Amino acid sequence: MDRLQNIETFGRVAQTQNFTATARQLRIARSVVSTRIQQLEEYVGAPLFHRSTRVVRLTEMGRAFQRDGSELVARANDVVDQMRDVQGSPSGTLRIHALTGLALGYLAALKSRWAPWRPA
């Protein structure tokens, strides 16, 4: 069980108040949304939604969980974005092994376009 993914799904259901709309937004099956919410409720040990055939509403526990859970998901997304920014630009030495004809023809033309390139 991916708790963070389940908490994010919970937040979407709380916003839309609809399992099917959440499934469409996340591009997953409705049964996956239901399973994630069920797993989260089992983990928390309390129901997070009042469900009927037409309405999905937060319980008191669900409201409290939504406040803290949304902050948790936002912070986790910020951390992931920071890590992606750090690794976003390539660095290091690029070594290319190629046939002589390719190296002399095609790669030589590319070399002339890249000013910072220098042979190892």
Side-chain angles (χ1 to χ4, degrees):
M1 169 175 93
D2 184 352
R3 280 187 225 137
L4 189 59
Q5 194 173 45
N6 291 356
I7 293 169
E8 186 173 15
T9 303
F10 163 79
R12 292 281 183 104
V13 172
Q15 284 176 338
T16 63
Q17 297 181 348
N18 189 306
F19 280 41
T20 304
T22 299
R24 263 189 253 117
Q25 285 179 3
L26 296 175
R27 296 182 181 167
I28 57 177
R30 185 187 182 286
S31 61
V32 174
V33 173
S34 296
T35 301
R36 287 180 183 174
I37 298 302
Q38 184 180 10
Q39 288 174 344
L40 193 58
E41 288 177 332
E42 287 173 6
Y43 184 76
V44 171
L48 300 173
F49 291 103
H50 294 292
R51 298 171 182 88
S52 71
T53 55
R54 296 175 191 232
V55 179
V56 176
R57 291 185 329 240
L58 287 168
T59 62
E60 288 298 319
M61 177 72 81
R63 282 190 204 98
F65 196 81
Q66 183 186 22
R67 281 190 300 271
D68 297 335
S70 62
E71 291 175 24
L72 178 66
V73 169
R75 181 66 184 127
N77 288 336
D78 289 344
V79 169
V80 170
D81 289 343
Q82 289 172 3
M83 295 300 111
R84 286 184 179 155
D85 289 344
V86 168
Q87 294 184 358
S89 57
S91 62
T93 303
L94 174 64
R95 298 180 194 271
I96 300 174
H97 297 277
L99 297 171
T100 306
L102 177 66
L104 291 176
Y106 184 72
L107 295 179
L110 288 176
K111 175 192 169 279
S112 65
R113 293 182 195 162
W114 291 348
W117 184 84
R118 62 183 191 282

